[in-house]
Amino acid sequence: MTEARASGPPTPEQMRHVLGHFATGVTVVTGLAGDGDPVGFACQSFTSVSLDPPLVLFCADHAGRSWPRMRDTGTFCVNILRHAQQELVDRFGSRTGSRFEGLDWHLSAHGAPALPDVLARVHCAVENVHVSGDHDVVVGRVVDLELVQPGRPLLFYRGRFAVTERLRSSAQPEVTGGWDDFWG
């Protein structure tokens, strides 16, 4: 067992290293800017907050190029990515380039861009925004949910995307229902 060190607050590198041991799902949060342009960003800090009322949250960097533009519009969509959608993370996680150019997206009935072929979409209205350090903690009231495609989630673990395909031999039976606790 490792002893705790009392060396002061952790550095950003230490935070990234240690907290990288917690696997997260990967999403793209989308919305509209005040001028009506679609905007979005890759986001790993997403979670459910409450079932009644239905609330979720995500954290967004103040210095990001999308969240500041969509913050005041009041709606957003959390697109939960499938394991094969790393290209969407590359597109929406980049600091440059047009994120929606050439992408087959549509405007949802709730007023936010919906990305194609994702696992699920969580449509929300901004409930609260809490400034915390260099990020905003955004609490959203869920107004609609969509299961879009079956499949496995895209995960991020220890600084890279994790394999979420079932690794099995032909002798192992396929799991068709219930909990599948083997992530490869």
Side-chain angles (χ1 to χ4, degrees):
M1 180 145 86
T2 306
E3 287 186 31
R5 300 181 282 132
S7 62
T11 66
E13 293 77 22
Q14 290 169 322
M15 290 283 291
R16 198 172 290 114
H17 174 72
V18 172
L19 295 178
H21 286 77
F22 180 68
T24 62
V26 184
T27 69
V28 173
V29 177
T30 57
L32 294 178
D35 60 7
D37 285 344
V39 292
F41 60 95
C43 179
Q44 295 164 242
S45 57
F46 168 72
T47 192
S48 172
V49 173
S50 170
L51 298 177
D52 186 19
L55 301 173
V56 296
L57 75 72
F58 67 85
C59 298
D61 189 340
H62 296 301
R65 64 183 196 143
S66 293
W67 170 242
R69 294 185 63 206
M70 76 167 87
R71 178 182 173 147
D72 296 329
T73 61
T75 61
F76 62 91
C77 179
V78 178
N79 298 271
I80 300 172
L81 301 185
R82 290 183 305 109
H83 72 277
Q85 292 185 303
Q86 186 175 337
E87 77 282 352
L88 288 177
V89 178
D90 296 341
R91 176 187 290 255
F92 285 90
S94 171
R95 295 200 182 275
T96 62
S98 179
R99 295 174 174 176
F100 287 87
E101 186 176 318
L103 183 63
D104 184 28
W105 64 278
H106 69 275
L107 191 62
S108 76
H110 305 286
L115 301 183
D117 303 323
V118 296
L119 276 178
R121 296 184 193 110
V122 183
H123 301 278
C124 300
V126 174
E127 180 89 0
N128 292 298
V129 178
H130 307 278
V131 176
S132 189
D134 58 4
H135 279 62
D136 282 344
V137 178
V138 181
V139 178
R141 182 175 291 265
V142 178
V143 297
D144 198 8
L145 298 166
E146 288 182 83
L147 289 175
V148 179
Q149 279 271 344
R152 297 187 182 279
L154 180 59
L155 299 179
F156 195 72
Y157 177 67
R158 293 179 61 187
R160 62 181 190 227
F161 295 101
V163 174
T164 60
E165 277 297 315
R166 176 178 265 286
L167 301 176
R168 64 179 175 89
S169 72
S170 58
Q172 292 175 309
E174 179 67 31
V175 175
T176 59
W179 290 97
D180 180 2
D181 62 358
F182 185 85
W183 288 93

